[in-house]
């Protein structure tokens, strides 16, 4: 059955890999690996049903604080993911953009993400944002720096600065605002993800751990979203 109102932009905080691993007496790295399996399905389904933008939180600016072996395993998974999936993603016209500072990534991961962006840059299907070394606060700082450079060149000033200048300086430049934020694992927080873009997003918190999140769960969340009344601060007629 067709879902009536699809969100244009879905943002997912894929949380719970660690707890999933613990529950299955596996290493945390195996939890993350299982998490990648879940994400594959969600990307494919999003593309099939015509979601315009899908943003996935893969690694936050705060995740560097985790044990070195876990950070290493996550970076390795990122490399593997792009190498294994790029052909199919490209075939399905998926366009990849990395949200976050790429310069701080280990060489191999940086190369993999640059390759993925470059190969898919002309694609016109699902816009897939993968947030790696991403934090909303860091994104704002990065945007302010860009704007200051523009001001120094005389392209903008305090008088002419507008929200659209600010939005164009974010990693999500030229993309629509987030309509729906989904977080798995039972935590009810945003953990520094797309704070500006989610100003009027609908929020959906699920108890399932990320590796257990299936297309049927996703569909249910989308159906729930479809029935919500969004007001954006206005008055209902
Ligand atoms: C989310 O799973 C994935 C990343 C943060 C990379 P976690 O590793 O945070 O899983 P929990 O929260 O420990 O269960
Ligand atoms: C958010 O999950 C980051 C990602 C899913 C990549 P965390 O597990 O890092 O967030 P907190 O620490 O529970 O807030
Ligand atoms: Mg977590």
């Amino acid at each position: 059955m067709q879902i009536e109102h699809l969100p244009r932009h879905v943002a997912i905080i894929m949380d719970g890999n660690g707890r999933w691993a613990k529950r299955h007496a596996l290493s945390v790295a195996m939890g993350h690996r299982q998490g990648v399996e879940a994400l594959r399905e969600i990307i494919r389904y999003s593309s099939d049903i015509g979601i315009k933008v899908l943003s996935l939180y893969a690694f936050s600016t705060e995740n560097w604080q985790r044990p070195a072996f876990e950070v290493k395993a996550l970076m390795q998974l990122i490399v593997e993911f792009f190498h294994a999936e790029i052909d199919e993603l490209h075939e399905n016209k998926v366009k990849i953009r990395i949200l976050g500072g790429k310069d701080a990534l280990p060489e191999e991961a940086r190369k993999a993400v640059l390759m993925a962006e470059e190969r898919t840059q002309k694609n016109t299907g699902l816009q897939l944002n993968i947030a790696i070394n991403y934090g909303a606060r860091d994104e704002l700082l990065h945007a302010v720096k860009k704007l200051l450079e523009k001001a120094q060149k005389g392209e903008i000033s305090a008088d002419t600065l507008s929200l659209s200048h600010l939005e164009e300086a974010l990693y999500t430049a030229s993309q629509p605002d987030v309509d729906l934020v989904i977080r798995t694992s039972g935590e009810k927080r945003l953990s520094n993800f797309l704070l500006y873009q989610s100003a009027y997003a609908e929020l959906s918190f699920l108890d399932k751990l990320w590796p257990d999140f299936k297309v049927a769960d996703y569909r249910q969340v989308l159906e729930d979203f479809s029935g919500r009344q969004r007001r954006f601060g206005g008055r209902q007629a």
Side-chain angles (χ1 to χ4, degrees):
M1 206 186 70
Q2 190 100 5
I3 298 171
E4 202 180 341
H5 305 290
L6 272 185
R8 271 190 305 172
H9 187 166
V10 178
I12 309 186
I13 303 171
M14 311 182 287
D15 195 19
N17 296 347
R19 277 161 283 176
W20 186 92
K22 204 165 184 184
R23 211 169 274 180
H24 291 80
L26 293 168
S27 67
V28 75
M30 283 307 290
H32 291 311
R33 197 165 277 282
Q34 200 60 35
V36 175
E37 293 302 316
L39 132 145
R40 252 191 210 119
E41 300 290 306
I42 299 302
I43 296 172
R44 195 170 302 141
Y45 185 72
S46 301
S47 168
D48 286 352
I49 63 172
I51 299 283
K52 298 276 178 280
V53 187
L54 175 66
S55 294
L56 301 172
Y57 207 4
F59 192 91
S60 74
T61 44
E62 288 73 33
N63 287 150
W64 296 107
Q65 299 167 46
R66 294 193 178 195
F69 74 86
E70 185 179 354
V71 170
K72 205 170 157 199
L74 282 164
M75 291 298 149
Q76 186 55 38
L77 269 177
I78 287 169
V79 172
E80 279 179 31
F81 170 80
F82 283 113
H83 287 160
E85 298 301 314
I86 194 66
D87 286 342
E88 189 186 324
L89 290 168
H90 187 43
E91 230 163 75
N92 291 330
K93 301 194 168 55
V94 173
K95 182 175 178 170
I96 295 167
R97 187 188 292 187
I98 304 305
L99 312 182
K102 287 178 285 214
D103 291 347
L105 298 180
E107 170 90 15
E108 241 199 317
R110 194 172 61 245
K111 275 194 187 151
V113 301
L114 287 172
M115 171 279 290
E117 281 186 328
E118 151 108 47
R119 256 195 84 182
T120 62
Q121 65 174 332
K122 295 207 174 77
N123 287 349
T124 52
L126 172 72
Q127 170 71 56
L128 176 64
N129 296 329
I130 309 216
I132 305 174
N133 185 28
Y134 174 89
R137 290 177 175 179
D138 188 61
E139 177 180 40
L140 276 182
L141 180 64
H142 177 255
V144 170
K145 285 185 183 174
K146 273 180 139 176
L147 294 173
L148 281 174
E149 278 169 21
K150 279 196 167 202
Q152 265 162 2
K153 287 192 216 146
E155 292 170 17
I156 49 167
S157 69
D159 288 338
T160 60
L161 184 67
S162 66
L163 279 181
S164 59
H165 289 122
L166 176 57
E167 285 160 11
E168 283 313 297
L170 297 175
Y171 290 124
T172 50
S174 77
Q175 297 179 359
D177 279 350
V178 173
D179 297 301
L180 172 64
V181 176
I182 302 172
R183 183 175 189 144
T184 56
S185 92
E187 311 297 351
K188 294 179 182 65
R189 54 177 172 262
L190 297 173
S191 301
N192 207 9
F193 194 40
L194 298 173
L195 300 184
Y196 180 94
Q197 297 85 340
S198 299
Y200 270 101
E202 297 294 320
L203 308 178
S204 194
F205 297 105
L206 278 93
D207 284 333
K208 281 209 174 172
L209 301 174
W210 175 252
D212 293 328
F213 185 73
K214 303 289 177 229
V215 164
D217 303 306
Y218 186 33
R219 207 184 150 80
Q220 221 168 26
V221 173
L222 293 173
E223 274 167 13
D224 170 70
F225 170 88
S226 182
R228 292 200 197 182
Q229 271 199 9
R230 303 180 76 194
R231 284 191 283 274
F232 300 96
R235 170 83 54 213
Q236 203 66 10

